[in-house]
Amino acid sequence: MSRRSTTNGSTADSAPSPPPPIRGPYVLYGGATIRTDDVLPGLEEQGVCPLYPQLQGPNIEWPSQNARRVEEISLIFKNLHHLFNSLRPHQARATLDHNLELQIQRRKQAVEDIKRGEEKKHKGF
């Protein structure tokens, strides 16, 4: 069985190689600019004490309290989850407001461009 070569150097039976990784900022869906070199800073770099050592210490010192501590931590996460979910409608509304404002600005700009084009057209005649 012979293998046919394709224009990108791969064979007909193999997939093309992936494109190289994107370096630097790029635009996603025509709007958001994404930076590939952004790195989330650690908690210590932000001046925040990490929670893990604080939770680990009591569990090592008093193992009999582990079940109660796990329940407390679970309750904290459930509360955080509820708070994040309660913020979603507000975030969605703010995003919608922002997108509508951008749409209005683009339409106003388009109207201005049309008016300027009409003025140029009338001046030329």
Side-chain angles (χ1 to χ4, degrees), residues 13-106:
D13 296 333
S14 67
S17 58
I22 297 173
R23 303 270 186 236
Y26 64 94
V27 177
L28 181 66
Y29 302 121
T33 302
I34 307 297
R35 295 181 49 93
T36 57
D37 55 351
D38 287 345
V39 177
L40 182 64
L43 291 173
E44 293 88 3
E45 294 173 27
Q46 298 178 47
V48 177
C49 181
L51 188 60
Y52 178 74
Q54 293 175 0
L55 296 175
Q56 184 182 18
N59 287 334
I60 292 172
E61 295 171 20
W62 301 291
S64 61
Q65 302 286 322
N66 281 354
R68 187 176 66 84
R69 300 285 292 174
V70 167
E71 184 59 35
E72 289 173 356
I73 293 168
S74 176
L75 185 61
I76 289 170
F77 281 115
K78 287 176 183 175
N79 277 274
L80 285 172
H81 186 73
H82 173 74
L83 289 172
F84 290 145
N85 283 335
S86 66
L87 287 174
R88 286 182 188 197
H90 302 289
Q91 180 187 15
R93 189 176 305 111
T95 301
L96 181 61
D97 288 345
H98 176 72
N99 288 338
L100 289 174
E101 286 294 327
L102 291 176
Q103 205 174 69
I104 289 169
Q105 289 174 2
R106 284 193 299 262

Side-chain angles (χ1 to χ4, degrees), residues 108-118:
K108 285 181 179 178
Q109 185 62 44
V111 168
E112 288 298 318
D113 292 345
I114 291 170
K115 286 181 181 178
R116 274 191 238 114
E118 287 292 319

